[in-house]
Amino acid sequence: MTAIIESQDRTPRRTQRTYSRWASLVVLCAGTLMTILDGNIVTVAMPAVQSDLGFSASGLAWVVNAYLIAFGGLLLLAGRLGDLVGRKRMFTAGLAVFTGASVLCGVATGQGVLIAARALQGVGGAMSSAVVLGMLVPLFPEPREQARAIAVFSAVGAGGASLGTFLGGALTEALNWHWIFLINLPIGIVAWVAAARVLTPDRGEGLGKGADYPGAALVTAALMLTVYVIVGAGDREAAATVLLAALAVVLFVAFIVRQARIERPLLRLRLFRSRMLSGANAVQILMIGTMYGFQFIAALYLQRVLGYGELLTGTAFLPAPVLIGALMLGLSARAIGRFGAYRVLLGGLVLIVVGMGLLSRAPVDGAYVTDVLPSLLLLGAGFAAAMPALTGLAMAGVREEDAGVASGLFNTTQVVGGSLGLAVLSVLAAGRTEGLVDGGAARLVATAEGYRLAFGVGTGIAVVALGVAAGLLRPGRK
């Protein structure tokens, strides 16, 4: 009888713990969705922002890059601070900063204010995003449940990226571009209240353990300079570009040397002894670079070559988040459980290569159904397979005390890949277009040719990602 009573007493507790874990996952996904949406929602609105605020072509890229650089540059520091002060505190504080910065973006009437507010959004996004995986993985220690939770989280992230393109077009055309930022105010308030109520407080190591602020300054400066070098390469002398690139390398080396010598580093270099962690982050830089560059260039192709408006462009991307959500929530975790993360990752990368390859032939008189939609579906399916598998491989075997930093590192390489992919592919497309126009080609034909070059280079990057994954992430390889 006593055993029966104890069993009955334990069941509600297990149910409550399960409920709390999945409720926490919903809150973490909601916060992540807001930051990812905002990282992509601006893409379709770029022509409207340029027209309203008078941005130059190169200056317009900084509306995106100001966010990405601040976000990517501060993720490691935010992850470390989350370990020190508590991940819940860092997450909720990040939501508050991000929401406030969104309001500043929405009321901006000048270029400088918008770029500065976008950078502040990046700060808030880094604070909240850096600790998410470090909070999520310990919630689901059982492998099958963890695979399901990561699939849900990845579906929100991947679907949110494409959904942001649709919402950006809809809000810009129905209202104006300011509302792509102002919409975050009610969402941010709800997410903050839910996080404060649902997430379990955690005790960090204490600020006395220290955070490497000089190291954060070095890595942030290095990332900013790297993207600046790539974005402005066509507007300066080659010697200046080489000099700035060398300076960026020096900053990265100084950061690494500092991390190796100080007692409490921002990034523990021993983490890179893990082949899985290092390989997964390398693959992510390449894969996200391909996908982010595709999203930006494909939106421009639809608008500037096929003549789509903002709303129609956003709608054209909508099949991707629907497919990604359906596959990640329904099949990805099962496929990983049956075939293993390595095989699922390789299959997803193959689909990405094929999808980008098809886009590299997009003609000037193309049609959405035959020239864009097949690639969109292949890329969506490939990403739905690859991203959850890659996330699981990256976090496998990470120690609890390193979870925050490892999470920050994984998010950092994601943002670095996106920023560099956007910069490289957009610069190549613009350079090819202007070269053809100077040679006498029609602007429309030259623009299409520039985008085809960008898609072709993106295909090559995806092939490299596939090769790195096959070589470094094979199970059992020493």
Side-chain angles (χ1 to χ4, degrees):
M1 180 65 70
T2 302
I4 294 174
I5 293 174
E6 289 176 352
S7 176
Q8 290 173 342
D9 287 342
R10 284 196 299 267
T11 301
R13 294 192 190 110
R14 285 198 300 268
T15 303
Q16 179 63 36
R17 285 198 298 270
T18 300
Y19 168 78
S20 298
R21 288 188 295 134
W22 288 100
S24 296
L25 175 63
V26 171
V27 171
L28 293 174
C29 287
T32 300
L33 177 63
M34 186 171 67
T35 57
I36 289 178
L37 276 175
D38 214 78
N40 293 272
I41 201 170
V42 72
T43 303
V44 179
M46 294 282 268
V49 173
Q50 183 177 24
S51 176
D52 191 17
L53 299 184
F55 277 101
S56 65
S58 58
L60 186 63
W62 285 96
V63 176
V64 175
N65 283 325
Y67 176 85
L68 290 177
I69 292 168
F71 188 92
L74 293 173
L75 277 166
L76 290 176
L77 176 61
R80 176 58 179 158
L81 288 175
D83 291 338
L84 297 178
V85 305
R87 293 165 194 158
K88 177 180 178 179
R89 288 180 181 177
M90 183 59 63
F91 182 77
T92 53
L95 289 180
V97 172
F98 185 89
T99 303
S102 296
V103 175
L104 292 178
C105 288
V107 300
T109 57
Q111 296 180 14
V113 173
L114 179 59
I115 291 176
R118 286 285 286 166
L120 185 59
Q121 272 191 312
V123 174
M127 292 170 65
S128 60
S129 299
V131 295
V132 169
L133 284 177
M135 298 171 75
L136 186 154
V137 171
L139 284 173
F140 300 93
E142 197 276 320
R144 287 187 177 275
E145 278 197 334
Q146 187 178 106
R148 288 176 58 200
I150 289 177
V152 171
F153 176 75
S154 299
V156 169
S162 297
L163 186 60
T165 307
F166 169 74
L167 291 177
L171 290 171
T172 300
E173 192 158 311
L175 299 169
N176 57 59
W177 66 265
H178 296 275
W179 283 96
I180 67 176
F181 301 112
L182 294 175
I183 193 67
N184 287 330
L185 180 59
I187 298 173
I189 291 173
V190 171
W192 189 92
V193 171
R197 291 177 62 88
V198 172
L199 297 180
T200 302
D202 58 312
R203 298 186 63 181
E205 301 174 32
L207 283 174
K209 293 292 186 179
D212 181 21
Y213 301 107
L218 283 172
V219 72
T220 301
L223 289 169
M224 292 179 67
L225 187 57
T226 299
V227 177
Y228 175 74
V229 167
I230 296 173
V231 170
D235 300 326
R236 68 173 74 93
E237 296 293 329
T241 297
V242 172
L243 181 62
L244 291 172
L247 179 57
V249 171
V250 169
L251 290 172
F252 276 119
V253 171
F255 170 73
I256 293 171
V257 170
R258 178 176 175 82
Q259 301 311 290
R261 292 183 175 180
I262 64 175
E263 182 180 355
R264 298 188 179 105
L266 177 65
L267 178 62
R268 299 179 182 94
L269 297 183
R270 62 176 170 76
L271 287 174
F272 292 101
R273 296 173 188 169
S274 167
R275 172 178 58 85
M276 301 302 284
L277 179 67
S278 299
N281 278 280
V283 171
Q284 179 167 239
I285 289 177
L286 297 166
M287 183 179 76
I288 297 297
T290 299
M291 295 298 295
Y292 207 98
F294 145 74
Q295 190 173 13
F296 185 77
I297 300 298
L300 293 178
Y301 171 76
L302 289 171
Q303 292 183 76
R304 295 180 176 174
V305 177
L306 301 189
Y308 283 27
E310 290 92 348
L311 179 59
L312 192 55
T313 299
T315 304
F317 276 90
L318 199 54
V322 173
L323 178 63
I324 288 171
L327 291 178
M328 281 189 173
L329 297 177
L331 294 177
S332 292
R334 296 178 187 174
I336 291 172
R338 180 173 181 180
F339 301 108
Y342 174 73
R343 291 188 178 89
V344 174
L345 172 62
L346 293 188
L349 289 173
V350 168
L351 292 177
I352 290 174
V353 169
V354 175
M356 287 297 293
L358 290 178
L359 274 176
S360 64
R361 50 164 292 280
V364 67
D365 57 348
Y368 172 74
V369 173
T370 56
D371 298 304
V372 178
L373 183 58
S375 293
L376 198 66
L377 296 177
L378 285 168
L379 289 164
F383 196 75
M387 195 61 197
L390 191 61
T391 303
L393 290 170
M395 297 300 291
V398 174
R399 301 177 185 175
E400 169 63 22
E401 64 267 25
D402 294 329
V405 175
S407 173
L409 175 64
F410 192 69
N411 282 289
T412 298
T413 57
Q414 188 173 110
V415 176
V416 169
S419 182
L420 294 182
L422 168 63
V424 169
L425 296 187
S426 61
V427 166
L428 288 174
R432 176 64 170 164
T433 296
E434 295 306 317
L436 290 173
V437 169
D438 291 343
R443 169 66 66 174
L444 184 62
V445 174
T447 299
E449 183 62 32
Y451 295 154
R452 280 198 294 272
L453 173 64
F455 290 135
V457 173
T459 304
I461 296 172
V463 170
V464 174
L466 177 60
V468 172
L472 293 182
L473 301 181
R474 180 186 297 275
R477 181 182 179 275
K478 296 182 179 180

